[in-house]
Each structure stands twice: as C-alpha cells, then as structure tokens.
Amino acid sequence: MDIGLIVVIAIVVIAILFVVSLYNGLVTRRNRIDEAWAQIEVQLKRRHDLIPNLVNAVKGYMGFEQDVLLRVTQARANAVAAGAQGPAQQAQAENVLTGALRSLFAVVENYPDLKANQNVLQLQEELTTTENQISFSRQHYNATVLDYNNSIQTVPATFIAGNFGFLKREFFDAEPEAAAVPSVDLSLR
C-alpha cells in the first residue's frame, strides 16, 4: 500500500471523527437547552396552578378590588396560552403576570385580616419560593443558551451548524424591572 494513500485515508478518518465529535457536542448542548426549558416549564406550571388558589383565597376579602383580581386572572390565562409560542413570548407574558401579582400583593397589604390569613400567607410563601425557583431556572436556561449560541457561532462549528439545522436560540428574559438598579438612600435625616 502506498504511503500517500495511507496519509489521505488517515486525514479523511480524522476529518470525519472531528465532524462527528463537533456534531455530537452541538446535539448535547441543544439537548441541555431543552432540559433547562423543561425545568422552567415545571416551575411556571406550579406558579400557574397556585394563582387560582390565591385568587380564591382573597376574593371574599377584596370584593371591591375585583379589577386587581381580574388582571391577575387574565394575565395568568395569557401566560398559559403563551407557553406554546416560545421563550420570548412566554417571558413577556410571564412578566405581565409578575406585575399583576405584585399589584395584588400590594393591595393585600391594605387588608389586615387578609394579611393575617394563614391560607393567604402560605400561598404567598409558596409563590415566592416558586418565583425564586423560576429565577434560578431562568439563569440556568440562559447560561445553556449562551453556551449553545456561542458554540454554533464560532469557528469551526459555524461551518457545519447551519447545514445540520442548529439555529440560534432565544433567551428567557426577566421583567424589565429586574434590570433596574435599586436606589439605596443611607442618609440619616
């Protein structure tokens, strides 16, 4: 056998192994994104399931604040419906729901009996815990998306990523209020 032929065969085998390894790495990263998104969906479902219980718990106390309850209920319905539309639309709908829940909690503060109600307190605590879990899941998801997007947009993977259907993924953005820097006033007046 000719040494030149052996060298050519070795180069072809190495190139094939390189492409296969690169492809498998991209598939692994894409699957990690899907797993991270599934974790967000689990937490969002938990949140969506808790909201009707909270609305029912406060409904009797807040008879004349029905517009707040209506906004929360509508925002929840929109968030559930946005689930099939992708991370960007889901994030937008969830951010509206977060705002509606904040306004509900602000109104609850005006009702001493409601603030002391154990059921309402427990639901608020569960929602707060769920919000924290959503935040951690969002962080993990966005980190995996960043890793994946960097992988498909850098050399050498960029040359094969598009040909094999590896497309850029969207981030799950937090509500705009989360980007604002809180102001702290430590002056002693």
Side-chain angles (χ1 to χ4, degrees):
M1 191 175 251
D2 184 19
I3 193 88
L5 181 61
I6 293 174
V7 169
V8 169
I9 290 172
I11 290 173
V12 168
V13 167
I14 290 171
I16 289 171
L17 289 175
F18 177 75
V19 169
V20 166
S21 174
L22 197 58
Y23 177 84
N24 288 342
L26 293 175
V27 168
T28 300
R29 285 180 173 91
R30 184 174 60 195
N31 289 343
R32 283 190 189 131
I33 290 172
D34 294 340
E35 184 272 334
W37 181 251
Q39 291 302 316
I40 288 176
E41 287 180 325
V42 165
Q43 298 308 322
L44 292 176
K45 174 152 181 16
R46 175 172 166 69
R47 178 189 199 197
H48 298 159
D49 290 347
L50 287 171
I51 290 171
N53 295 334
L54 179 65
V55 168
N56 287 333
V58 301
K59 194 182 289 186
Y61 290 92
M62 299 173 52
F64 61 91
E65 307 264 6
Q66 290 300 316
D67 61 318
V68 174
L69 297 177
L70 186 61
R71 280 198 309 266
V72 169
T73 303
Q74 185 61 47
R76 177 196 176 273
N78 291 341
V80 170
Q85 298 173 3
Q89 293 82 2
Q90 180 82 40
Q92 187 176 21
E94 292 298 332
N95 293 339
V96 170
L97 179 56
T98 298
L101 284 171
R102 283 187 183 138
S103 65
L104 174 64
F105 290 145
V107 170
V108 166
E109 291 296 316
N110 296 327
Y111 294 87
D113 291 343
L114 193 52
K115 279 176 35 176
N117 182 299
Q118 284 303 108
N119 192 26
V120 172
L121 290 173
Q122 180 183 355
L123 287 167
Q124 280 184 304
E125 180 61 34
E126 286 183 45
L127 272 170
T128 300
T129 301
T130 301
E131 294 295 331
N132 290 335
Q133 291 171 345
I134 291 170
S135 178
F136 292 131
S137 295
R138 174 187 284 130
Q139 220 173 3
H140 174 65
Y141 173 80
N142 285 340
T144 57
V145 167
L146 178 64
D147 179 53
Y148 170 80
N149 285 346
N150 285 341
S151 295
I152 67 169
Q153 294 173 342
T154 56
V155 174
T158 191
F159 297 121
I160 69 162
N163 295 329
F164 286 107
F166 293 97
L167 305 173
K168 185 177 176 183
R169 294 286 186 101
E170 297 175 325
F171 291 101
F172 189 74
D173 295 323
E175 65 271 8
E177 294 83 11
V181 177
S183 62
V184 177
D185 183 7
L186 298 176
S187 62
L188 299 172
R189 294 179 203 187

